[in-house]
Amino acid sequence: MCRFLSNPAGGSGSVPPNSATSETHFGFRNVPETDKERLVAQVFSSVATNYDVMNDAMSGGIHRLWKDQFIRRLAPPPGTVLLDVAGGTGDIAQRFLNYCDSVHGDQTARVHLIDINPDMVEVGRQRFKNSAYDLRSQVTLEVGNAEDLSTVPSESVDAYTIAFGIRNCTHVDQVVREAYRVLKPGGRFMCLEFSHVDNPVVGQIYDLYSFQVIPALGQLIAADRDSYQYLVESIRKFPRQDKFAQIIRDAGFYTVGSGYENLTFGVAAIHSGFKL
Ligand SMILES: C[S@@+](CC[C@H](N)C(=O)[O-])C[C@H]1O[C@@H](n2cnc3c(N)ncnc32)[C@H](O)[C@@H]1O
């Protein structure tokens, strides 16, 4: 059996897990809280240019279906102002604008993408460069930290999205509090994140795939095993669905029902909350 399968799966929900000694997790390693941002930055600088290709390779394209579902659930009305945090190479931002255009014929919706990693943002900038969205000034990109959105005024956005980003942040609860601050009353927080599989058989197959195949694919396609090893470990350390839903409620959001929807047996989940 792969050594990682017996490693303590996270999902404890304690964020950070060891605040008394100011440590947090980076994958399965405990590191000083002050180091995590730098280590995460190294991962995403390393994967930036292969990021979109690797997403397709690792998920067999399923991440596209999850992201489409995420935007359908958001169902942004015309004129929505979206803040997409940890927006990386702009996949969610583009889907959002495509949805507004194709469903409503709306060319007034706007998205502001913030990501801590300049290399990821640069790939995103290239994606939109000279596109119709760019020419209509519907998309802006900025380097910034989800835990401190100092350039975003309070109560200034209609919707806030964070996709596959929050588990990389040091203080998950602080990220959610910042989301609450910047949303207008009536605004919606939506998070798409890898989560915890709810079926034991699927769980075993998923663990095998995660720990045996994904790092090997990272090595093969991107010559970078370590970053993809971090990816699968970081997923196991992220709080379980119900714990994360509670973090969202604790920040002040109202959640409908459980507050989350599992995708593909819980491999990923959409969490959502309203600022009333
Ligand atoms: C897996 S990528 C997701 C990118 C994009 N949202 C998507 O779904 O394709 C995670 C992103 O989170 C960003 N990130 C990590 N920590 C962050 C932080 N504290 N603040 C903002 N972005 C952060 C990384 O730089 C990276 O671009």
Side-chain angles (χ1 to χ4, degrees):
M1 181 184 283
C2 164
R3 74 190 163 96
F4 292 106
L5 295 183
S6 58
N7 221 312
S12 65
S14 46
V15 181
N18 191 1
S19 53
T21 54
S22 294
E23 284 198 335
T24 189
H25 49 77
F26 175 73
F28 287 158
R29 279 163 57 201
N30 271 6
V31 297
E33 277 192 352
T34 46
D35 286 0
K36 178 158 174 171
E37 238 173 70
R38 179 181 52 80
L39 293 165
V40 168
Q42 281 170 6
V43 167
F44 287 102
S45 288
S46 167
V47 304
T49 48
N50 291 304
Y51 178 77
D52 293 316
V53 174
M54 272 301 291
N55 272 352
D56 279 332
M58 284 184 308
S59 73
I62 290 175
H63 77 107
R64 292 169 182 261
L65 305 180
W66 293 339
K67 287 171 175 169
D68 287 344
Q69 172 80 342
F70 184 57
I71 296 297
R72 271 198 303 273
R73 284 281 179 258
L74 179 62
T80 296
V81 175
L82 171 69
L83 181 67
D84 182 40
V85 175
T89 61
D91 231 11
I92 295 296
Q94 184 165 29
R95 274 184 168 69
F96 163 77
L97 292 170
N98 287 348
Y99 177 98
C100 293
D101 196 7
S102 63
V103 173
H104 304 300
D106 172 26
Q107 301 184 345
T108 64
R110 281 182 291 123
V111 55
H112 184 57
L113 180 155
I114 292 187
D115 193 285
I116 204 167
N117 191 299
D119 297 317
M120 293 290 278
V121 172
E122 184 50 33
V123 177
R125 223 181 277 288
Q126 294 306 322
R127 176 196 291 252
F128 289 109
K129 198 173 170 186
N130 298 327
S131 69
Y133 299 135
D134 184 25
L135 298 175
R136 289 195 292 263
S137 303
Q138 286 184 271
V139 57
T140 46
L141 301 92
E142 184 190 357
V143 175
N145 190 337
E147 296 185 27
D148 177 16
L149 301 170
S150 49
T151 59
V152 185
S154 299
E155 307 203 337
S156 63
V157 300
D158 301 308
Y160 173 112
T161 50
I162 184 162
F164 303 115
I166 200 164
R167 73 173 189 287
N168 301 295
C169 297
T170 310
H171 303 106
V172 173
D173 46 0
Q174 174 59 22
V175 172
V176 183
R177 281 199 298 272
E178 269 295 80
Y180 191 86
R181 181 186 67 76
V182 300
L183 276 164
K184 294 177 187 169
R188 189 171 189 186
F189 167 85
M190 290 207 44
C191 175
L192 173 62
E193 187 51 271
F194 290 111
S195 202
H196 296 270
V197 170
D198 55 10
N199 176 305
V201 177
V202 178
Q204 280 195 357
I205 297 166
Y206 177 56
D207 274 348
L208 270 173
Y209 179 74
S210 300
F211 289 107
Q212 305 290 354
V213 179
I214 289 182
L217 273 180
Q219 180 62 36
L220 192 71
I221 298 175
D224 183 357
R225 184 181 194 93
D226 290 352
S227 293
Y228 289 91
Q229 183 71 38
Y230 161 73
L231 168 79
V232 294
E233 292 181 3
S234 66
I235 293 168
R236 298 328 190 262
K237 298 300 284 184
F238 191 68
R240 293 188 168 275
Q241 286 87 327
D242 52 345
K243 288 277 167 65
F244 183 44
Q246 190 56 48
I247 290 171
I248 293 167
R249 284 189 283 271
D250 288 347
F253 287 106
Y254 170 77
T255 62
V256 177
S258 67
Y260 67 86
E261 171 187 354
N262 278 343
L263 304 174
T264 319
F265 299 98
V267 171
I270 295 173
H271 281 77
S272 154
F274 292 91
K275 177 170 174 176
L276 298 181

